[in-house]
Amino acid sequence: MPPTGGDDGPRTLQTVSVSAQVLRKLKELDGAGVTELATELDLSKSTAHIHLTTLVENGLVVQRDGRYELALELFAFGEYVRSQNPLYRYGKPQVNELADKTGQYVHIVTEENGRAINLYQVKGDTSVSGEYQTSKPQQRDHLHYTASGKAILAYLPEQRVTEIIDRHGLLERTANTVTDFETLCEELAAIRQRGYAYNKEEEIEGFCAVGAPIRTPSGDVLGSLSVSGPASVLQGDRFEETLPEKVVNSANVIEVNINMSNRS
């Protein structure tokens, strides 16, 4: 297929775009047959089959019993990308330590294409288990309803924040989710003033979190560190004072370790 795009955007190859859609849809459907995939993507069966066959030949998809699934080769790609990220390399020890200290889930997050990517998470000894938490590393979250996401948004340039919200919107997850742009901007200003962000049951009812940014010496935000747990546990002075101090201190240690690595 010929390149697409014009003066207003980059030239792209439609065949590559369709193959990328195939990979995303196989993830969403947890595998699919040719007919199902063709229907989901509004492709002819022959076109769907050609893309699947090409992806199989390149090791990115495997075929089992008439169904196509994502191949483990993609896991190798993902592990490589994650291992190259300084947030993961220098943040992992602090995530482990903070999970031990708090007993709750601890996450280190970065932003890509306006969405949150969970680079690493650890479950503390007293944290609440659940499929939602275990599947988080596989998801790309909106930034406006999580503590980690708001900690990142607060330190992005204003124009970038506007671009992200224009593109992804302000999805309402609970009655506490901020869905008004001006209200969000006011909260981001408050986050910058105190140095950390709260999630007060804005993503999941009954679940709260505290997040702090991880920044470069020049002030650019690399990502964030957060602790999340049940609202019944994260409350009072623990939620308002003790936990924010621990999260901010751990985020600062990660910043120092990254900065020192850049000088070596």
Side-chain angles (χ1 to χ4, degrees):
M1 294 183 182
T4 60
D7 295 337
D8 295 332
R11 289 169 61 82
T12 61
L13 288 172
Q14 188 176 353
T15 50
V16 177
S17 296
V18 173
S19 289
Q21 292 173 33
V22 169
L23 291 172
R24 292 191 183 97
K25 186 59 67 172
L26 288 177
K27 175 180 178 289
E28 178 185 325
L29 298 175
D30 198 19
V34 175
T35 301
E36 181 182 9
L37 186 69
T39 301
E40 288 282 339
L41 293 177
D42 195 24
L43 300 172
S44 67
K45 287 180 64 175
S46 61
T47 298
H49 185 263
I50 289 171
H51 282 278
L52 287 167
T53 301
T54 303
L55 290 167
V56 169
E57 287 297 311
N58 283 275
L60 302 179
V61 168
V62 294
Q63 182 183 14
R64 295 189 179 96
D65 301 324
R67 289 176 62 80
Y68 294 86
E69 302 171 355
L70 298 181
L72 287 172
E73 177 76 11
L74 293 169
F75 176 77
F77 275 107
E79 279 295 296
Y80 169 77
V81 173
R82 185 171 73 161
S83 68
Q84 298 303 302
N85 191 300
L87 276 176
Y88 173 73
R89 294 203 308 272
Y90 298 102
K92 185 176 178 179
Q94 287 302 310
V95 171
N96 293 336
E97 182 177 324
L98 193 56
D100 288 340
K101 289 181 178 178
T102 63
Q104 302 302 317
Y105 266 104
V106 182
H107 313 260
I108 194 161
V109 173
T110 191
E111 176 266 328
E112 186 175 74
N113 296 322
R115 301 289 282 272
I117 304 294
N118 196 325
L119 288 173
Y120 183 62
Q121 71 175 29
V122 173
K123 177 183 180 297
D125 291 340
T126 61
S127 59
V128 176
S129 298
E131 183 178 346
Y132 183 79
Q133 285 287 352
T134 56
S135 65
K136 247 187 177 305
Q138 304 171 31
Q139 310 301 324
R140 297 189 305 148
D141 282 331
H142 288 258
L143 294 168
H144 69 284
Y145 54 60
T146 67
S148 54
K150 287 188 288 184
I152 292 172
L153 280 175
Y155 292 92
L156 288 175
E158 184 177 335
Q159 181 179 349
R160 177 65 178 142
V161 174
T162 301
E163 291 172 353
I164 289 172
I165 302 307
D166 284 345
R167 179 178 178 182
H168 298 294
L170 293 170
L171 177 69
E172 182 176 353
R173 290 293 301 267
T174 74
N176 290 344
T177 306
V178 176
T179 57
D180 175 74
F181 184 67
E182 292 302 321
T183 303
L184 177 64
C185 289
E186 291 174 2
E187 182 171 356
L188 298 182
I191 292 168
R192 286 191 292 272
Q193 184 173 10
R194 66 174 176 256
Y196 53 88
Y198 286 116
N199 166 8
K200 299 181 178 180
E201 302 185 62
E202 298 161 53
E203 181 184 13
I204 304 173
E205 292 182 4
F207 221 69
C208 295
V210 175
I214 299 170
R215 304 166 69 195
T216 67
S218 62
D220 294 333
V221 63
L222 300 173
S224 61
L225 179 71
S226 67
V227 175
S228 59
S232 59
V233 176
L234 304 186
Q235 59 177 314
D237 288 344
R238 183 181 187 186
F239 187 52
E240 299 292 337
E241 297 179 13
T242 307
L243 192 57
E245 182 179 357
K246 289 181 178 180
V247 174
V248 169
N249 287 343
S250 294
N252 288 343
V253 171
I254 296 172
E255 290 174 342
V256 170
N257 289 338
I258 292 175
N259 294 339
M260 289 178 63
S261 72
N262 290 333
R263 292 176 178 272
S264 60

